Amino acid sequence: MRTRVQAVLLMFVVLAVAAFAVPLLLFTASDRTQEWALARSSDLDRFASLADQAAATGDTSALTAEARRYTQLYGEGLVVTDTRRRPLVETGGVRAGEPAVARLLDAALRNQTAHPSGALRPWSHGQRGFAEPAGSGTRVSGAVVLRASVGTAAHDIARRWAAVLAGTALVAVACTVLARAATGWVVSPLRRLDRAVGQLAAGLPPEQTRAGGPPELRQLATGFNRMAGTVTAALEQQRRLVADTSHQMRNPMAALRLRVDALDPHLPASAGRTYTAVTTELDRLETLLDDLLALAAAEHRAGELAVTDGPDVRCEVAAVVARERGRWEQVARRAGVRLTADDAPPPVVALCTDGELAQVADILLDNAIKYAGRGATVTLDCGTDGGWAVLTVTDDGPGLSPAELALATTRFWRSDANFATGATDTSDGMDETGATNTSDAMGMTGASGAADRTGAMNRTNTTKGTGLGLAIAEQLLVARGGRLELTLAHPNGLRARALLPRDRGGAR
């Protein structure tokens, strides 16, 4: 904005200075040209008078002496003739027989005065011709032609123009300095306010906007600071409520699990079903707490990166795909799912950390293996799509309906349908294989409860999940300027694409 405002002001300054300087330059050139022409006309009048006297007396000595002194003094030649075109005086190399001089003599003998037209300029050079008849009234007794040099007059015009241009430049510089100062006075508070608005929009505490500039902007900054303080306090309270609640409930949950586990040996056989239901709900609550913390951390990270560039990070997508395939193969096998991946994926460099991409891949693979059903095939691959690095997880399970696709990334949303056929909890399988869960990939707690994906047949609601996994994955991608795309696979199944900006220097 500052550049645009300055450009407009500077354009106005240039036009205003030009509107003043151009007429002044033209006036100085015209004024000096007029001085030069008047001086030569005065000289012509004197020689015309001497020529008339010589014609009357027949004595040309005075005329000749004056003409030679004039040529020696000013370096300008002249010709004086009688009415029959006979030269009385020729000085400075000017001859009456020259075509240009002859035309001027003809005009003077017809009792016409000839002066050069047009104003001189600093680049003017050479000589200009003047002609005037000798005599009085309508009586013509001869003609005088003067060939005048324009060098001195052009030099004077150049000097005057230099002075005008120097003054114009000083005025332009002064106006530019004033324009920059005025622009900074108006725009700087707006830039600070814009930066604070960006921080507030990202959910981060904005810096206090220092009041400055015009009174209207100072009033606006003061009002924004009050509003920002209120909004920031409310957002921080909400964020701390989620994080503190999740954290503070860990100890009671751990104590509750210990007590429930301690009851197991003392329960009768008839209470086994109830005991299993209680431990299942405890598992779900622990997963929910972990996912709430992971989601809060992902949202906070997204807010930070929305207003700051963050560190310059890159990761090899193919390397992440290879590691994730190795970690999830045994889990998929135990769930009755076949996991495939390209053995030689193309080199793709994404602008994110390895941990962030690994966590997104964990969530998508956990979802696909959990809900595709036994006998399904899950494919993990990577590639590029224009300026994006793409990690894709595709399964050939029942998939989702178009209406469910629109809700799949909604927090806590779970479809009415989880597949009874082959819907398997993969979290235990990950622990047995020694692979870290999705929270470990980021150094955060609990992203293992991926959002649940369901289909259209044999539906129950027994598969574990919190409905937060895809929301966490989407926040992680958005934080790096990417996005999550969910589409139906052909002929059936679901395709999840994690798109991140790619480093064009690292992808060929």
Side-chain angles (χ1 to χ4, degrees):
M1 179 178 178
R2 181 171 185 172
T3 302
R4 294 193 297 270
V5 173
Q6 284 183 355
V8 173
L9 291 178
L10 291 178
M11 186 179 299
F12 173 77
V13 168
V14 170
L15 293 177
V17 171
F20 169 78
V22 172
L24 184 58
L25 293 174
L26 296 178
F27 171 77
T28 55
S30 178
D31 181 67
R32 184 62 182 90
T33 301
Q34 188 176 8
E35 291 179 4
W36 173 74
L38 288 175
R40 298 306 181 269
S41 296
S42 177
D43 294 338
L44 281 176
D45 289 340
R46 184 158 54 88
F47 283 113
S49 177
L50 292 174
D52 187 47
Q53 293 178 6
T57 60
D59 184 8
T60 61
S61 58
L63 173 63
T64 302
E66 186 70 17
R68 288 175 179 172
R69 283 197 300 270
Y70 180 85
T71 301
Q72 291 175 356
L73 181 61
Y74 297 107
E76 299 176 349
L78 57 85
V79 174
V80 180
T81 65
D82 57 14
T83 55
R84 296 181 180 180
R85 299 179 181 274
R86 289 180 301 185
L88 301 179
V89 177
E90 291 179 333
T91 63
V94 181
R95 297 292 180 263
E98 296 178 13
V101 174
R103 286 193 296 272
L104 292 173
L105 289 173
D106 289 341
L109 292 175
R110 292 194 300 270
N111 202 16
Q112 296 175 356
T113 300
H115 289 179
S117 60
L120 298 178
R121 296 289 184 263
W123 52 85
S124 298
H125 62 279
Q127 296 175 323
R128 306 287 176 87
F130 292 79
E132 187 171 320
S136 59
T138 58
R139 182 180 62 84
V140 176
S141 59
V144 181
V145 173
L146 173 65
R147 184 176 288 172
S149 173
V150 302
T152 302
H155 178 73
D156 291 343
I157 293 173
R159 184 163 43 83
R160 295 182 185 182
W161 278 26
V164 171
L165 293 176
T168 301
L170 290 177
V171 172
V173 170
C175 291
T176 301
V177 172
L178 291 176
R180 289 180 61 87
T183 303
W185 183 60
V186 174
V187 174
S188 293
L190 291 177
R191 295 179 65 181
R192 292 194 295 268
L193 187 61
D194 177 70
R195 184 165 56 251
V197 169
Q199 293 172 337
L200 181 63
L204 300 178
E207 61 183 19
Q208 285 291 312
T209 304
R210 180 170 55 86
E216 295 81 2
L217 288 180
R218 292 198 296 269
Q219 183 178 358
L220 178 62
T222 302
F224 174 80
N225 288 334
R226 289 197 297 266
M227 180 199 70
T230 303
V231 174
T232 301
L235 291 175
E236 185 61 24
Q237 289 174 0
Q238 180 183 4
R239 186 181 293 116
R240 290 184 64 85
L241 176 63
V242 174
D244 292 347
T245 301
S246 303
H247 181 74
Q248 293 300 326
M249 288 184 67
R250 284 180 174 275
N251 289 337
M253 288 295 298
L256 180 59
R257 177 171 286 281
L258 288 175
R259 287 176 172 82
V260 170
D261 291 342
L263 287 175
D264 186 22
H266 308 287
L267 293 176
S270 59
R273 183 174 181 181
T274 302
Y275 175 79
T276 302
V278 170
T279 56
T280 300
E281 288 302 317
L282 284 175
D283 291 339
R284 182 174 180 274
L285 286 174
E286 289 176 343
T287 300
L288 179 61
L289 293 177
D290 289 341
D291 284 354
L292 284 174
L293 283 175
L295 181 60
E299 287 179 335
H300 184 72
R301 182 58 175 161
E304 288 181 337
L305 293 176
V307 294
T308 60
D309 293 335
D312 187 15
V313 294
R314 291 172 174 79
C315 78
E316 288 283 352
V317 181
V320 173
V321 167
R323 287 197 301 269
E324 293 301 300
R325 178 185 182 182
R327 293 173 56 200
W328 283 90
E329 275 183 332
Q330 187 174 352
V331 179
R333 191 180 307 112
R334 292 184 179 183
V337 175
R338 178 171 173 263
L339 177 62
T340 65
D342 190 351
D343 293 329
V348 184
V349 178
L351 299 180
C352 68
T353 65
D354 288 355
E356 290 167 341
L357 187 59
Q359 185 175 6
V360 172
D362 284 341
I363 292 172
L364 299 182
L365 286 170
D366 182 47
N367 240 27
I369 295 172
K370 187 182 295 183
Y371 300 117
R374 289 188 175 276
T377 299
V378 175
T379 303
L380 174 66
D381 58 25
C382 65
T384 61
D385 185 358
W388 301 99
V390 184
L391 183 144
T392 305
V393 175
T394 307
D395 66 72
D396 58 0
L400 290 175
S401 68
E404 289 172 326
L405 277 178
L407 299 173
T409 57
T410 303
R411 298 177 187 181
F412 300 108
W413 179 84
R414 298 186 68 193
S415 172
D416 293 334
N418 287 331
F419 302 123
T421 56
T424 306
D425 178 17
T426 60
S427 59
D428 294 338
M430 285 296 289
D431 294 336
E432 293 172 6
T433 59
T436 59
N437 61 23
T438 52
S439 62
D440 294 333
M442 276 295 289
M444 303 190 302
T445 56
S448 61
D452 303 317
R453 174 173 67 76
T454 58
M457 64 176 71
N458 296 329
R459 299 187 171 191
T460 69
N461 208 15
T462 61
T463 305
K464 294 182 180 180
T466 63
L468 290 176
L470 291 180
I472 295 172
E474 187 174 47
Q475 285 295 325
L476 292 172
L477 294 172
V478 169
R480 291 296 181 182
R483 66 180 186 271
L484 177 64
E485 291 183 353
L486 299 177
T487 57
L488 298 178
H490 183 77
N492 56 275
L494 186 71
R495 176 179 291 107
R497 302 175 77 225
L499 290 90
L500 285 161
R502 71 183 177 100
D503 180 14
R504 294 183 178 273
R508 294 289 183 265

